[in-house]
C-alpha cells in the first residue's frame, strides 16, 4: 500500500542539538489500501479545532501547546489536496484520544474509528478534561473497540487485527501514557511502520544511550498515567529497534525530525 506522512497540526517550536528548530508536529498517516479504501492513522487537529479552539481544545491546552491552527494542516484538507475525496476515508485508527490525536474525528463522520476499549472508557468517563474533549466525539463516531490482546505475535509485542481491515494494519498496546494507549502497525508491502503515538516523544529516547528532550520530556512526564509502565514500554521499543530495525520503522507522534526524514 502507499503511505502518506502528514503533519496535521503544528504546535510550539522546539530545538535539539545539531538539528534545525522546528515546530512539534502531529504525525498522521494516510494509507491507500488495496481492498479497504483510505485508512487514516490519527487525525491531528480538525476544522472545528482551528475555527473555535477554546471550545473544542480548551483554553489551557491551547496556551500550553501554542498550536498554529492552520486549516491547511487539517487531515481533511490535506487528503483533498492529494486528490482524494475525504468521504472515502472508511477507517480511522487512533493511538489514543488526547485532543491532538483525535481532533479531526468530526471531519470523517462516516468512518469506523478503531481503538482499545480501555481508552474509550477512560475518555468517556473523564471528559471534559485537559486531556479529553467531548466535542471531538459529539457527532457519534462508529466506534470499533478492542480488548487489549495477549501474546507476542508481532515482533514480541501483542497485537490486535482490526475489524474490516486486512492484517497489515494492527493495534499494538504500548502502555503508560493513557489507560488504553496503543501503537498502530502498518505494513506498506516492504516493511512495517509502527506509529508509536505518545509512547515516546523524541527519537533520541530510543538510542542505545537514551537522551530525553528537555522540553518534550517535561510534557510526556506530566501527561503520563503510569510512569514505570511508560518507561518499560520505551525499553521494549528500544529493543525492537535494536533487534528488528531492518524490518520495522519506528516513529512517534510529535517529533518533527522523524517526520521530515520519513517525508523525504
Amino acid at each position: 500500500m502507499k503511505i502518506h506522512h502528514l503533519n496535521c497540526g503544528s504546535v510550539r517550536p522546539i530545538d535539539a542539538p545539531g538539528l534545525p528548530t522546528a515546530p512539534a508536529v502531529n504525525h498522521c498517516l494516510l494509507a491507500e489500501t488495496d481492498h479497504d479504501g483510505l485508512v487514516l492513522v490519527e487525525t491531528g487537529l480538525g476544522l472545528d479545532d482551528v475555527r473555535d479552539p477554546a471550545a473544542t481544545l480548551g483554553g489551557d491546552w491551547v496556551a500550553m501547546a501554542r498550536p498554529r491552527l492552520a486549516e491547511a494542516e487539517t487531515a481533511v484538507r490535506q487528503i483533498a489536496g492529494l486528490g482524494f475525496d475525504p468521504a472515502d476515508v472508511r477507517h480511522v485508527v487512533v493511538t489514543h484520544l488526547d485532543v491532538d490525536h483525535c481532533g479531526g474525528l468530526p471531519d470523517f463522520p462516516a468512518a469506523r474509528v478503531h481503538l482499545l476499549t480501555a481508552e474509550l472508557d477512560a475518555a468517556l468517563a473523564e471528559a471534559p478534561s485537559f486531556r479529553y474533549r467531548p466535542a471531538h466525539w459529539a457527532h457519534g463516531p462508529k466506534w470499533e473497540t478492542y480488548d487489549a490482546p495477549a501474546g507476542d505475535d508481532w515482533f514480541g509485542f501483542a497485537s490486535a487485527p482490526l475489524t474490516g481491515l486486512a492484517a497489515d494494519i494492527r493495534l499494538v498496546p504500548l502502555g503508560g501514557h493513557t489507560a488504553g494507549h496503543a501503537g498502530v502497525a502498518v505494513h506498506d508491502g516492504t516493511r512495517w511502520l509502527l506509529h508509536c503515538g505518545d509512547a515516546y516523544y523524541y527519537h533520541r529516547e530510543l538510542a542505545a544511550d537514551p537522551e530525553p528532550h528537555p522540553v518534550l520530556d517535561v510534557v510526556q512526564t506530566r501527561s503520563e498515567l503510569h510512569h514505570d509502565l511508560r518507561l518499560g514500554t520505551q525499553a521494549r521499543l528500544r529493543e525492537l529497534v535494536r533487534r528488528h530495525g531492518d524490518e520495522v520503522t519506528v516513529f512517534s507522534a510529535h517529533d518533527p525530525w522523524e517526520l521530515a526524514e520519513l517525508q523525504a
Side-chain angles (χ1 to χ4, degrees):
M1 70 178 75
K2 185 172 183 180
I3 307 293
H4 304 269
H5 294 267
L6 311 176
N7 171 22
C8 297
S10 299
V11 293
R12 61 187 303 159
I14 52 176
D15 298 294
L19 296 169
T21 299
V25 298
N26 283 292
H27 189 158
C28 301
L29 303 179
L30 180 68
E32 300 179 45
T33 71
D34 294 332
H35 305 290
D36 304 316
L38 297 176
V39 178
L40 183 63
V41 177
E42 307 276 72
T43 72
L45 304 183
L47 291 174
D48 291 343
D49 298 326
V50 171
R51 294 167 180 171
D52 193 358
T56 59
L57 298 170
D60 290 342
W61 188 89
V62 171
M64 181 277 295
R66 292 159 41 193
R68 181 176 292 170
L69 299 174
E71 189 167 311
E73 285 190 344
T74 62
V76 68
R77 293 290 184 254
Q78 292 190 66
I79 290 168
L82 289 169
F84 301 111
D85 184 344
D88 290 336
V89 175
R90 292 159 51 183
H91 300 270
V92 175
V93 191
V94 291
T95 62
H96 62 300
L97 290 173
D98 277 359
V99 296
D100 48 342
H101 294 259
C102 71
L105 286 181
D107 299 329
F108 305 96
R112 296 161 74 177
V113 182
H114 304 261
L115 74 169
L116 292 184
T117 302
E119 184 64 18
L120 180 60
D121 289 348
L124 296 180
E126 296 175 26
S129 66
F130 181 84
R131 156 163 273 157
Y132 298 127
R133 305 295 295 179
H136 293 150
W137 50 81
H139 62 289
K142 299 175 181 177
W143 302 113
E144 292 282 355
T145 59
Y146 305 86
D147 293 335
D152 57 359
D153 61 329
W154 191 84
F155 297 101
F157 290 76
S159 72
L162 305 181
T163 303
L165 286 168
D168 50 8
I169 302 179
R170 309 178 72 85
L171 278 172
V172 179
L174 299 175
H177 181 65
T178 62
H181 185 274
V184 182
V186 181
H187 198 275
D188 67 2
T190 302
R191 61 187 290 112
W192 284 97
L193 307 176
L194 180 62
H195 191 311
C196 295
D198 287 356
Y200 73 97
Y201 277 49
Y202 176 52
H203 61 280
R204 289 172 176 160
E205 291 179 277
L206 297 191
D209 185 13
E211 178 186 332
H213 188 277
V215 174
L216 295 177
D217 191 54
V218 172
V219 176
Q220 72 172 331
T221 301
R222 287 179 176 175
S223 61
E224 69 188 4
L225 186 64
H226 299 291
H227 180 72
D228 290 344
L229 182 56
R230 178 180 67 80
L231 294 184
T233 293
Q234 289 186 358
R236 295 180 68 206
L237 290 171
R238 216 169 281 124
E239 184 67 5
L240 173 66
V241 171
R242 187 185 71 81
R243 297 181 60 189
H244 301 289
D246 58 336
E247 300 172 84
V248 184
T249 297
V250 173
F251 55 93
S252 62
H254 302 304
D255 186 315
W257 305 288
E258 284 182 329
L259 175 63
E261 183 175 349
L262 288 164
Q263 287 180 326

